């Protein structure tokens, strides 16, 4: 029971995107889930939804087979190509075998038939988020984020940022202490494990991190230490 409650609470940190032209789906989701997520966005299946889905702003997407402009197959393929790590739940008026094959080929978490039952969609979302472990992440500018469960940094679309061990350890320390200036001695003890390290070596690490992300992600406080930019 305690574990279940813990997992449910994680949804309040999650952002849900729903793509559907079905007003019944829209009403069901809005009425039952409006206060359940950190962010909930419902959109119709237009060309713009692919950009939205690949913006790295959402933790999970629900895709209705009832879409316009794109075919269901094209929409899934585009989202899979642009945002390969974004978990997908598929909903449909029927269990057409072709749609099921499309869902499977695009690594959808599950396939749910309409009309939607609130408890079914809620359980699917909870299970999907917890099993794919995207419920908690630290977001920064330009679509960059740190997935705490995967212990990895990503660019938009789920592209892994190729940090060295020292660069990654440096960033993780600043994230753990975000909001505070971390002094040079603490960085040396945690990141370099107390080994010899010059201030120039530390600056070099910071510069490489900035090159792989953006300059403002780490700020230097002269003669004090470093602090990471506040997450979004």
């Amino acid at each position: 029971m305690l574990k279940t409650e813990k997992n449910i609470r994680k949804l309040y940190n999650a952002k849900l995107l729903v793509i559907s032209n079905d007003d019944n789906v829209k009403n069901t989701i809005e009425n039952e889930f409006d206060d359940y997520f950190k962010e909930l966005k419902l959109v119709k299946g237009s060309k713009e939804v692919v950009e939205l889905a690949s913006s790295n702003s959402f933790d999970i997407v629900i895709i209705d087979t009832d879409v316009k402009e794109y075919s269901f197959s094209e929409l899934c393929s585009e989202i899979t190509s642009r945002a390969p790590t974004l978990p997908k739940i598929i909903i449909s008026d029927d269990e057409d075998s072709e749609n099921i094959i499309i869902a499977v080929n695009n690594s959808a978490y599950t396939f749910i038939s309409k009309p939607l039952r609130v408890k079914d969609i809620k359980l699917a979302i909870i299970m999907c988020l917890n099993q794919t472990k995207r419920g908690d992440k630290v977001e920064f500018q330009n679509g960059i984020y740190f997935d705490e469960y995967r212990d990895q940094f990503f660019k938009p679309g789920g592209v892994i940022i190729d940090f060295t061990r020292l660069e990654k350890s440096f960033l993780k320390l600043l994230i753990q202490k975000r909001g505070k200036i971390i002094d040079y001695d603490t960085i040396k003890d945690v990141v370099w494990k107390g080994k010899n390290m010059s201030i120039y070596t530390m600056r070099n690490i910071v510069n490489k991190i900035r090159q792989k992300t953006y300059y403002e992600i780490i700020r230097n406080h002269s003669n004090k230490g470093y602090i990471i930019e506040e997450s979004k």
Side-chain angles (χ1 to χ4, degrees), residues 6-16 36-39 57-60 85-87 125-139 145-150 178:
K6 181 179 179 182
N7 288 343
I8 291 174
R9 291 190 191 105
K10 291 177 184 176
L11 297 190
Y12 289 104
N13 293 323
K15 300 178 182 180
L16 172 66
Y36 202 65
F37 290 87
K38 182 176 181 179
E39 181 180 339
S57 297
F58 298 94
D59 298 286
I60 186 170
T85 63
L86 180 64
I125 293 169
I126 291 170
M127 295 295 290
C128 180
L129 280 175
N130 281 279
Q131 290 191 25
T132 54
K133 296 183 177 179
R134 286 182 57 93
D136 290 313
K137 62 182 181 182
V138 182
E139 297 176 286
Y145 66 97
F146 174 57
D147 188 314
E148 294 181 312
Y149 282 100
R150 296 181 185 179
R178 55 186 176 271

Side-chain angles (χ1 to χ4, degrees), residues 16-22 41-58 60-83 86-88 157:
L16 172 66
L17 174 64
V18 180
I19 304 171
S20 176
N21 289 296
D22 187 334
K41 191 170 185 65
L42 297 100
V43 294
K44 294 182 181 290
S46 64
K47 296 288 185 180
E48 290 75 19
V49 300
V50 173
E51 293 295 331
L52 198 58
S54 59
S55 67
N56 192 42
S57 297
F58 298 94
I60 186 170
V61 59
I62 295 177
I63 305 174
D64 195 338
T65 57
D66 177 16
V67 290
K68 296 178 181 178
E69 295 191 28
Y70 271 106
S71 70
F72 170 62
S73 176
E74 289 175 327
L75 180 60
C76 281
S77 296
E78 282 290 321
I79 291 176
T80 298
S81 174
R82 300 277 295 276
L86 180 64
K88 294 178 285 290

Side-chain angles (χ1 to χ4, degrees), residues 69-162:
E69 295 191 28
Y70 271 106
S71 70
F72 170 62
S73 176
E74 289 175 327
L75 180 60
C76 281
S77 296
E78 282 290 321
I79 291 176
T80 298
S81 174
R82 300 277 295 276
T85 63
L86 180 64
K88 294 178 285 290
I89 291 176
I90 308 302
I91 57 176
S92 180
D93 277 320
D94 58 63
E95 297 180 354
D96 178 84
S97 59
E98 182 177 350
N99 285 339
I100 294 175
I101 291 172
I102 292 169
V104 171
N105 287 341
N106 285 276
S107 303
Y109 176 78
T110 191
F111 191 104
I112 300 176
S113 295
K114 295 189 287 185
L116 297 179
R117 294 197 308 168
V118 173
K119 65 178 182 180
D120 289 343
I121 195 72
K122 184 180 292 186
L123 180 60
I125 293 169
I126 291 170
M127 295 295 290
C128 180
L129 280 175
N130 281 279
Q131 290 191 25
T132 54
K133 296 183 177 179
R134 286 182 57 93
D136 290 313
K137 62 182 181 182
V138 182
E139 297 176 286
F140 299 98
Q141 293 182 40
N142 305 329
I144 290 170
Y145 66 97
F146 174 57
D147 188 314
E148 294 181 312
Y149 282 100
R150 296 181 185 179
D151 191 33
Q152 189 59 265
F153 290 85
F154 294 91
K155 293 180 180 180
V159 178
I160 294 176
I161 302 175
D162 186 23

